[in-house]
Amino acid sequence: MEKRTVALGISVLVILTGFIIVVTIINPFRSPPTISVEGGHVLHIESDSAIVRASSLDFMIHLSWNGSYDLGVFHMNVTNIIPTQLNVESTTDYLFIRNTSISTIIEINPTNLDVSLEFSTVDDSTPLNFFVFGDSQGFQGGIEQIVSDANEFHPDFLLHCGDLTPFGQKNQYESVSSALSKSTVPVFTTPGNHDIRLGGLERFDDFFGPTRFSFVYKQVLFLSFDTSSGTVSQDDIVWLENTLSATPYEKKIAITHMPLFDPRPGGNHSLIDSATASAILAIFEEYRVNVLFSGHIHMFSLVVKNDVTHVISGGAGASLYASPENGGFYHYTNVTIRTTGFDIGPIELEAPSFQNNMLVVRGIDEDVTLSINDLQQLTKISGFSSFQNQYDNWRGYGEYIGVKLSNLLDIVGGISSSAKIRIIAHDGFGQMFSYDNIYPNESWYSKQGDMVLAYEYNGTKVPEWHDGFRIVMMPEDEAYSNSDCQQTSPPGMGYHLYPSAGARWVRFVLLIEVIV
């Protein structure tokens, strides 16, 4: 009996072993395909699935496997599309598995190692309608209002004209991506100059895909090109002209970040390279581009120049560059295109309400809104310090962590030696500082040390630290006295107006502004 049991056990083991061998031969571990996307990018890939985000309404996906042993059922979650109007031309059979408002899951079971799927969006019978906005710069409140309106009124898509972030960090892209992901219509973006800072261009590509794209929808050609560096590459200029010269469509719309000219009298906050701007203007005029939408200047403006309408929609959250009557109000732009023409008009948004964990840094030509999370991405400085009040009493001793004022001002273009810095608190209190406070010479440095915007005190960060953000002077002796203050206050500033070192340590900082 024992021999039979042993023999049976050996037989089962052999059978199971053989089964395992057969299974291993038939279904080895699959390697993921190589995927390239024209008009989009890959967000995630595994051996049997991938997530692809479209950056236009017309795009193509190419998949390539190494060998036949890698083939099998493969699922693609394609996002940022209009699923109900999606048309697919494929070199293999496909099946729609599940749709949401802006995505679809497609199943393919390829028999060839190379597969291509070409996607286009079929027109419907309604007039083309979309929202345009720009320069949210990390303030997601404006985006939340725009997305709420989009989810209620259902435009065909949204266009963000750049400066989605304060300075292009991963956490900033995650924040704006999360806010935009609530939209039930597709969102297309172009990078702004803030988005490419500190390695931000690569992160833009990771989150939003190519910096240029084109598509045709409802008989209108859309082109988006990159001006985030202050100029336009020769490759992009050639692409613009070739795309425009080849299109049979009468209506044409271009999207970018920086306008080709500043419509304000005496303004120069536009494309830095004027020769390139003139060349693109000539191309747009030659090929009869109807509208160029841009941001960068924080206002609404509509100007017609040589039959091209130039619309600036830079009011999604960053601080404004004009008075309300001159276009300085928070807004997005609602655009409807009918056979009879274009309807273009701003829709006002509620003004941002900043808590004590956000502040604005404003340069001569640009500004940025920063949160406590943004500040923590910058090079930090820490040290102990204290100040003397008007009664010669010492206050505030402890360890401060923050960012040098010089590093903050670099984000908005730096300052000249003749410039002044105005710092305003939430309660309206303000102080003026000079270039020498920001970049002290050896004599001033021995008395003042580094000038720092602190966001943490003795281990407590803003917003729990209720005095922050706070200006802090960090001399080596850890004591900023009234005498030190007197010797580091330029004429007409600081000690000469109010004899207190403590008054220079502005609490509840809301605005840091360069003045010339």
Side-chain angles (χ1 to χ4, degrees), residues 204-341:
F204 178 90
D205 182 72
D206 290 341
F207 280 86
F208 296 106
T211 59
R212 78 180 188 200
F213 59 84
S214 68
F215 62 85
V216 174
Y217 185 58
K218 296 187 178 180
Q219 307 298 302
V220 179
L221 172 67
F222 288 83
L223 310 95
S224 178
F225 62 104
D226 182 11
T227 53
S228 61
S229 66
T231 187
V232 181
S233 70
Q234 186 60 36
D235 187 48
D236 271 13
I237 293 174
V238 171
W239 174 80
L240 281 171
E241 185 159 21
N242 289 344
T243 305
L244 287 168
S245 64
T247 185
Y249 298 99
E250 180 181 347
K251 294 185 175 68
K252 310 170 191 73
I253 290 177
I255 308 104
T256 195
H257 177 62
M258 292 189 182
L260 301 181
F261 61 90
D262 190 331
R264 300 171 298 172
N268 63 351
H269 199 52
S270 56
L271 209 63
I272 297 171
D273 187 344
S274 58
T276 297
S278 297
I280 295 174
L281 279 169
I283 292 171
F284 285 179
E285 291 165 11
E286 178 181 357
Y287 294 103
R288 299 181 181 277
V289 171
N290 299 91
V291 187
L292 170 63
F293 289 102
S294 63
H296 194 53
I297 304 175
H298 304 166
M299 60 182 292
F300 175 80
S301 171
L302 189 155
V303 175
V304 179
K305 185 174 183 179
N306 296 338
D307 295 326
V308 178
T309 300
H310 297 261
V311 177
I312 296 172
S313 187
S319 60
L320 300 168
Y321 286 179
S323 61
E325 59 271 19
N326 290 317
F329 52 88
Y330 293 100
H331 71 281
Y332 66 88
T333 301
N334 186 21
V335 184
T336 302
I337 302 178
R338 299 181 173 87
T339 55
T340 54

Side-chain angles (χ1 to χ4, degrees), residues 48-70:
D48 60 353
S49 63
I51 302 174
V52 174
R53 184 184 189 275
S55 60
S56 79
L57 291 178
D58 298 330
F59 57 100
M60 182 176 289
I61 301 176
H62 305 273
L63 304 96
S64 180
W65 284 267
N66 291 326
S68 58
Y69 45 81
D70 289 325

Side-chain angles (χ1 to χ4, degrees), residues 67-83:
S68 58
Y69 45 81
D70 289 325
L71 296 177
V73 174
F74 193 85
H75 292 104
M76 284 188 297
N77 184 357
V78 184
T79 70
N80 205 45
I81 58 173
I82 308 175

